[in-house]
Amino acid sequence: MRTDTYTYAEIADQPRAWRETLRSLPQQWDRVDGTADAILAVGCGSSYYLALSAAYLLRRVGGRPAEAHPASELFLHEPAVYVPGRRYLTVGCSRSGETTETAIALRRARERGLASTIAVTCTPDSSTTKVSDAQVVLPEGRERSVVMTKSFTTMLLALQYWAGRLGGNAGFQAELNRLPDALDAALARFAEPVAELGRSPDLDSFVYLGSGACYGLACEAGLKVKEMAGQHSVAYHPLEFRHGPISIVRPGTLVTWFVSDEAEAREAELLPELKRLGAKVLALGERADDAIRQNADLAVALGSGLSTLARLPLYLALAQLLAYSCTVSRGLDPDNPKNLTQVVRLNG
Ligand code: F1P
């Protein structure tokens, strides 16, 4: 597989970037006041999908009411987002810190006294940091590529850490420290089989399934294959997929399932049907029982010893590799995706 690209280097750099980032997180979050009646996590594109997973983590691990919105919803539909009388904390996620909608959402929230604001970004001194009350800056996530890979997982790691801190869950925070080594181990064992699956010549439709915090990952993984390989993809909650969307499955469809421990038994019931319809199936989980192995073309059993909510970044790194390998095997350049720019600027 071609590896002389920025995108490949950034995917491969994730264990190092996470190690460095983990060192800076305690001090960074010390400066943030997390008190609020509700947290709004917002962003655009990948950063919105990050917000979806982050809101779940903040509810589940952090024990706080939290919602995710595309940043534009905060100013296009403001009265439906901010309920009068509630104290909000709006967290704007943005790799560049320059995305217009995210900067407007944070600026307006502050100017209109709707919320206190935090910028989570890989770029210091950016538009979002300037309009926020607090800043969590993650320079190890900075990228030359258009397509977000390590920036996503580095910001995810920061938000996982915050959720653990808000929930007083030292055990969860300790799990996060094991992620860099766990990714080294996962790449050593699974990078090649995952890349090989991505090279399958007959694939022309991509379905990503995940529930709970894995739904944001499913959306993000689907975006990778759209952005880099120009392929059609959809993301659903696994059981939702049975309610109509499954009609698109045929030979040529690759279904990637992000397995969460608590949902696994119910969601696995979908696999025989996907196989019967001719799909290829990639199961990304902690372990793979016989039922999963029988129905999956590739069952990744990470064996990381980490809980579902801790191991989210591992799943995504493997899904990034899948999209990357699919892209280069088609002769496309992942560093130069069609119709895209690193930052989307609108008239602000
Ligand atoms: C958000 C984003 C990216 C996308 C594209 C344009 O950027 O939508 O997710 O891949 O490059 O920008 P940011 O706000 O996180 O910098």
Side-chain angles (χ1 to χ4, degrees), residues 96 98 121 123-130 137:
S96 63
E98 296 299 340
T121 178
T123 318
D125 302 321
S126 51
S127 299
T128 59
T129 60
K130 288 181 190 135
V137 180

Side-chain angles (χ1 to χ4, degrees), residues 205-209 232 234-255 266-281:
S205 154
F206 294 79
V207 173
Y208 290 89
L209 302 178
H232 185 65
V234 292
Y236 283 96
H237 296 82
L239 298 188
E240 275 300 295
F241 191 62
R242 187 63 197 77
H243 294 272
I246 198 166
S247 58
I248 66 170
V249 172
R250 52 186 160 66
T253 304
L254 173 63
V255 179
R266 295 312 300 260
E267 293 175 358
E269 291 172 23
L270 201 58
L271 298 188
E273 195 167 358
L274 296 172
K275 280 318 293 172
R276 194 174 50 75
L277 295 170
K280 277 195 163 56
V281 173

Side-chain angles (χ1 to χ4, degrees), residues 44-47 94-97 99 146 148 227 341-342 344:
C44 297
S46 292
S47 294
S94 172
R95 166 179 66 176
S96 63
T99 296
V146 172
M148 291 171 65
E227 289 181 323
T341 50
Q342 226 204 18
V344 175

